[in-house]
């Protein structure tokens, strides 16, 4: 009779399982710092929502706020700018989708779907060119909206791409007016 014939198979199975469990716990403890470092830091989380005072923004003026490291244009458009944007048909746009985080993903890029609900004079938009991430100049270009001098993308007064290499309209972030003079972005 050999020694292997008297070995207890239940004890051997327990040792295999216990060793595997300790190895898995050890691997998880070793990997956790690497996984945890991928979470955003406190400074980023603090900027996930900002409030902007727009009481000093007159008709035809804009201000730029920084949200999540990106410039956000908050503009009070003139009646002429609103009428020009409303008169533009969807067939005239390169991108027919609103790109508004407050609406369904397939909402059409009408002026109403790009402006603030109930406050059509206000436009809150991430001011980053959708071509290569440049910062377009405001109140510029053929359409009187934004113009990216780097590659020639021209946006209208509602931030919709009209000409140039940019493929999409500038994004509308999640926002809401908490009062007549304060907009919360994020």
């Amino acid at each position: 009779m050999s020694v292997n014939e008297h070995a207890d198979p239940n004890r051997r199975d327990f040792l295999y399982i216990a060793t595997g469990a300790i190895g898995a716990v050890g691997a998880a403890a070793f990997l956790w710092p690497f996984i945890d470092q991928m979470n955003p830091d406190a400074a980023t989380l603090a900027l996930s929502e900002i409030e902007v005072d727009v009481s000093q923004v007159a008709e035809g003026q804009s201000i730029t706020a920084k949200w999540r490291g990106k410039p956000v244009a908050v503009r009070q458009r003139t009646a002429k700018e609103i009428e020009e944007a409303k008169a533009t048909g969807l067939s005239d746009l390169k991108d027919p989708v609103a790109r508004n985080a407050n609406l369904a993903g397939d909402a059409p890029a009408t002026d109403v779907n790009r402006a603030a609900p109930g406050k059509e004079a206000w436009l809150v938009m991430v001011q980053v060119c959708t071509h290569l991430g440049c910062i377009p100049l405001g109140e510029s270009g053929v359409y009187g909206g934004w113009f990216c001098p780097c590659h020639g993308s021209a946006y209208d007064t509602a931030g919709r791409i009209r000409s140039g290499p940019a493929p999409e309209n500038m994004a509308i972030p999640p926002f809401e007016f908490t009062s007549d003079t304060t907009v919360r972005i994020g």
Side-chain angles (χ1 to χ4, degrees):
M1 230 162 100
S2 72
V3 177
N4 289 339
E5 291 179 18
H6 291 296
D8 185 6
N10 292 333
R11 183 173 178 204
R12 185 179 340 120
D13 292 344
F14 171 76
L15 289 174
Y16 286 146
I17 291 171
T19 303
I22 290 172
V25 169
F30 175 76
L31 291 175
W32 179 250
F34 298 109
I35 295 168
D36 189 47
Q37 63 91 22
M38 290 186 232
N39 288 326
D41 69 347
T44 303
L45 292 175
L47 292 176
S48 64
E49 188 176 276
I50 61 170
E51 288 196 356
V52 180
D53 179 14
V54 295
S55 61
Q56 301 300 315
V57 181
E59 185 177 298
Q61 290 183 334
S62 4
I63 59 171
T64 303
K66 191 171 185 180
W67 174 68
R68 293 186 177 174
K70 299 174 190 166
V72 175
V74 180
R75 178 163 179 78
Q76 185 174 4
R77 302 180 299 165
T78 64
K80 180 182 176 207
E81 290 174 334
I82 296 168
E83 289 308 313
E84 287 174 357
K86 283 183 176 180
T88 303
L90 289 176
S91 61
D92 296 334
L93 303 174
K94 284 182 69 175
D95 182 13
V97 180
R99 310 280 174 210
N100 187 337
N102 303 297
L103 302 174
D106 60 347
T110 61
D111 182 65
V112 172
N113 286 344
R114 301 272 305 161
K119 296 180 178 288
E120 69 179 7
W122 291 96
L123 180 67
V124 179
M125 173 185 74
V126 177
Q127 189 177 336
V128 175
C129 181
T130 59
H131 178 232
L132 291 175
C134 305
I135 308 300
L137 304 173
E139 301 171 57
S140 301
V142 179
Y143 302 99
W146 286 263
F147 178 71
C148 183
C150 301
H151 300 102
S153 293
Y155 299 86
D156 66 9
T157 58
R160 301 173 294 191
I161 183 65
R162 298 294 300 278
S163 65
E168 297 179 349
N169 300 322
M170 286 194 270
I172 305 289
F175 76 93
E176 67 175 325
F177 275 86
T178 57
S179 71
D180 287 338
T181 60
T182 305
V183 61
R184 180 185 302 133
I185 303 170

